[in-house]
Amino acid sequence: MFALFIGAVAIAWASHSASQVAADAGALAATKKMDEWILLSVEDEIRKLLGNDFSDESIEQAFPEDSKLKDALLEGKPLDDLPIDEVLEEMFDGNKQLIREFLNTVFYEHRQELADTVRDYVKQNGGDDRGKIVIPVHDRVKVEARTRYQPVIFKDYFSNTYVEGEGYGPKRLYLKLLPEKMVKIHY
């Protein structure tokens, strides 16, 4: 009996580790997708600002003299070479409320796509197809994932039991601009 008990605890521990790995994979994928969407939306805002006139003169007039964003545009560098938080600061002249509204709009427009991406990564890494995404949690994306608990004994008793894990993506400075746990998405 003692060996069966130890085996059940070991399976629970392994299930928790699998949930943790799945959640970490989902959080990393979510962070990368958010970065992509924000940059694409920033590029759209720049097109609107410049009226699709990307001449040096138009860029010079649209941005202040010491602008890293202006320098990148003039040199033809991709915007993802610059930190996103700096790009947002320059785009919205440091207005935190405008940045917050912009980010909220980007997240809202891509809610379902973000849920689908996270679900795919969580499932590919051994997790179940249900969980939650919370943005931001300490300047990170938090993903909650679960895996089915399948002990050696009493399988019928634990047939609908899951072990949950949490994963966090890398820190993003632009997430500091948002209230904690502002966005919650169930997948």
Side-chain angles (χ1 to χ4, degrees):
M1 271 316 260
F2 182 71
L4 288 174
F5 173 75
I6 295 298
V9 170
I11 290 170
W13 180 76
S15 295
H16 176 65
S17 293
S19 296
Q20 195 83 32
V21 166
D24 284 337
L28 181 59
T31 304
K32 286 184 174 186
K33 279 294 187 187
M34 286 181 352
D35 290 350
E36 288 175 28
W37 295 323
I38 290 169
L39 281 173
L40 287 172
S41 296
V42 164
E43 288 172 1
D44 287 345
E45 288 294 316
I46 291 171
R47 272 191 216 84
K48 288 178 195 171
L49 179 68
L50 297 176
N52 284 329
D53 176 13
F54 285 89
S55 66
D56 289 357
E57 183 180 309
S58 179
I59 293 170
E60 289 282 351
Q61 290 176 357
F63 296 99
E65 196 59 40
D66 59 346
S67 169
K68 290 180 185 177
L69 181 56
K70 177 177 82 174
D71 294 343
L73 290 170
L74 289 172
E75 294 170 17
K77 291 182 180 177
L79 292 182
D80 57 0
D81 285 353
L82 299 172
I84 295 173
D85 55 306
E86 289 180 18
V87 171
L88 291 172
E89 288 281 331
E90 286 192 29
M91 280 295 304
F92 298 103
D93 295 325
N95 186 323
K96 303 232 185 285
Q97 182 61 34
L98 288 176
I99 296 170
R100 210 174 282 130
E101 289 172 14
F102 173 78
L103 291 173
N104 195 24
T105 300
V106 172
F107 295 149
Y108 183 77
E109 288 175 357
H110 297 282
R111 280 177 94 86
Q112 189 58 50
E113 204 173 338
L114 186 61
D116 293 343
T117 298
V118 169
R119 182 183 305 109
D120 289 346
Y121 274 86
V122 166
K123 285 175 66 176
Q124 287 173 15
N125 286 278
D128 188 55
D129 63 347
R130 293 187 180 204
K132 186 163 68 171
I133 306 163
V134 183
I135 306 169
V137 176
H138 308 298
D139 311 330
R140 300 171 187 251
V141 175
K142 174 183 167 185
V143 171
E144 297 172 6
R146 65 184 193 172
T147 55
R148 187 176 295 281
Y149 177 59
Q150 298 173 331
V152 178
I153 58 173
F154 305 119
K155 288 182 182 182
D156 293 336
Y157 183 74
F158 292 104
S159 64
N160 289 323
T161 304
Y162 294 88
V163 178
E164 296 179 356
E166 297 177 347
Y168 295 87
K171 278 193 173 203
R172 291 295 186 252
L173 293 176
Y174 62 83
L175 291 177
K176 280 185 179 226
L177 302 171
L178 301 175
E180 278 290 295
K181 302 178 182 176
M182 181 184 94
V183 179
K184 294 178 183 170
I185 303 169
H186 292 273
Y187 64 90

